Amino acid sequence: MAIEGIIGRKIGMTQVYAEDGRAIPATVLQAGPCVVVQRKTKAARTATRKNKKTGGDLPPVKVLREFRLKDGDEAKVGDKVSVEIFKAGDTVHIIGTSKGKGFQGVVKRHHFRGGAATHGSMFHRAPGSIGSSAFPSRVLKGMRAAGHMGADRVTQRNLTVVRVDGEKNILVVKGSVPGGHGGYVVIRKKG
């Protein structure tokens, strides 16, 4: 079975010490074991798009994600994918949902500079002018403005696997991973 990814959950951040004594910032993820619930083929995907029961006596799951297989790979319904598909030194891409920040202004959301703080400026964190007058008499699309920030799908690329614990289903990767503690992520091998 050559599935190149797994669903995981972010536990938190820590630091791991290398053999030479360097402190490496790391994120701890609990990944798997994940069960294959369906196998799709190109012919089956184009033939029907109806909602069907995934089949078998598989337990219901909270998170479902699709992973593409290479031609000829053997992955059957009911197979378990564990964290042991990774090894220390592998490069992975991790996809998660960033922390939501709610409704934010232009200074925080788009890094506008704002106005002077003193000398009776009265212009501090406001967006300022957003367009011309008579022509084009409208606000152009794509204008940066205040609005909802965060809670977006984010892919953190080229993270290095530091440690793998198959018994506890723990994966430790170098660097940060999008989302808060307990958030679901998809971990894919690079390539």
Side-chain angles (χ1 to χ4, degrees), residues 9-169:
R9 196 169 192 169
K10 181 175 175 178
I11 295 176
M13 287 200 72
T14 185
Q15 57 185 7
V16 178
Y17 291 98
E19 293 177 5
D20 60 357
R22 290 180 300 117
I24 300 169
T27 304
V28 181
L29 305 166
Q30 185 168 18
C34 296
V35 180
V36 177
V37 295
Q38 187 179 17
R39 183 178 168 103
K40 293 183 178 179
T41 60
K42 288 181 183 178
R45 289 185 74 147
T46 55
T48 178
R49 294 189 183 270
K50 295 178 186 171
N51 290 330
K52 290 184 178 178
K53 185 179 173 189
T54 54
D57 296 322
L58 300 172
V61 292
K62 189 171 185 178
V63 180
L64 283 174
R65 293 291 180 270
E66 288 186 14
F67 293 93
R68 189 168 286 185
L69 296 174
K70 294 175 183 159
D71 290 334
D73 282 344
E74 293 297 322
K76 299 178 197 72
V77 174
D79 285 353
K80 290 198 176 191
V81 183
S82 74
V83 76
E84 292 172 343
I85 62 172
F86 302 105
K87 61 183 185 302
D90 281 355
T91 304
V92 294
H93 299 322
I94 298 183
I95 305 162
T97 303
S98 64
K99 288 182 178 179
K101 309 287 184 187
F103 191 97
Q104 295 300 322
V106 291
V107 173
K108 182 167 185 175
R109 189 176 186 215
H110 296 296
H111 311 294
F112 282 17
R113 182 169 168 268
T118 57
H119 299 293
S121 148
M122 296 175 67
F123 174 76
H124 304 300
R125 297 176 69 91
S129 173
I130 59 168
S132 346
S133 177
F135 179 81
S137 300
R138 63 190 173 91
V139 177
L140 298 174
K141 284 192 182 297
M143 180 66 61
R144 294 179 299 167
H148 183 268
M149 180 179 174
D152 296 317
R153 178 186 159 112
V154 178
T155 302
Q156 194 76 17
R157 298 180 183 278
N158 300 322
L159 297 175
T160 305
V161 175
V162 177
R163 196 174 291 161
V164 178
D165 185 349
E167 292 178 8
K168 296 180 182 175
N169 298 316

